[in-house]
Amino acid sequence: MSSRGRKKASVYQKLEQLRSVTNSTAVNKTSIVVDASRYIEELKEKVDKLNQETGTSTSSQNPLPMVTVETLEKGFLINVFLEKNCPGLLVSILETFEEIGLDVLDARVSCEDNFQLEAIGGENQGIGEGIDAQMVKQAVLQAISKWSGDHSQ
């Protein structure tokens, strides 16, 4: 097959793909392209509508924090995630760890567009006896609640 023939076959194949994706019943090239552009406009409108719906619902609600605590051999793996930047929250959580007798052995924190904390905590010798994962999770949630109460005014 010549170069021109391959090119023509490729264009035909792509037009057929475009027609099937856009559910077009058109036969000629121009009509397929017109149907495709209408389909794209419909998709853009749907995206805009969905963005408006999610934009109003997230701004009216206070996003809930995601807190997970896993028990390790000697301590806990604590993950905290909020969908917004939270200045001062890290300090509140670290103070809570200190209050319940949990030493931070390693931590990664991101406060750019959202708040994300991954920490490995070990029980402080003598103070943190009998701490379990549920206690740590409740303490972190209380710290977040206290912080948001302080910052909502």
Side-chain angles (χ1 to χ4, degrees), residues 10-104:
S10 175
V11 168
Y12 177 78
Q13 182 183 12
K14 289 180 180 165
L15 280 171
E16 285 299 312
Q17 285 178 333
L18 186 60
R19 186 165 66 154
S20 69
V21 167
T22 60
N23 296 321
S24 173
T25 57
V27 179
N28 66 25
K29 296 176 195 175
T30 306
S31 298
I32 293 171
V33 172
V34 168
D35 287 349
S37 66
R38 284 186 191 135
Y39 183 72
I40 291 169
E41 286 303 316
E42 288 174 16
L43 290 176
K44 284 181 180 179
E45 289 173 11
K46 286 180 183 179
V47 168
D48 288 341
K49 184 178 177 184
L50 287 172
N51 283 337
Q52 288 174 349
E53 288 175 5
T54 58
T56 55
S57 66
T58 55
S59 64
S60 64
Q61 297 174 353
N62 202 0
L64 296 175
M66 291 194 323
V67 178
T68 60
V69 179
E70 296 176 34
T71 303
L72 302 175
E73 191 174 320
K74 292 186 177 181
F76 305 97
L77 173 63
I78 303 117
N79 285 295
V80 180
F81 178 80
L82 278 91
E83 292 182 358
K84 61 180 183 174
N85 186 343
C86 304
L89 180 58
L90 178 62
V91 173
S92 297
I93 292 174
L94 292 176
E95 287 173 347
T96 298
F97 287 167
E98 191 174 321
E99 289 171 10
I100 63 172
L102 198 64
D103 287 336
V104 177

Side-chain angles (χ1 to χ4, degrees), residues 128-143:
E129 294 300 317
I131 298 176
D132 67 359
Q134 189 60 33
M135 288 174 60
V136 174
K137 183 174 183 174
Q138 287 302 318
V140 170
L141 288 170
Q142 286 176 352

Side-chain angles (χ1 to χ4, degrees), residues 81-86 110-116:
F81 178 80
L82 278 91
E83 292 182 358
K84 61 180 183 174
N85 186 343
C86 304
S110 172
C111 303
E112 188 85 14
D113 296 323
N114 52 39
F115 178 87
Q116 195 167 1

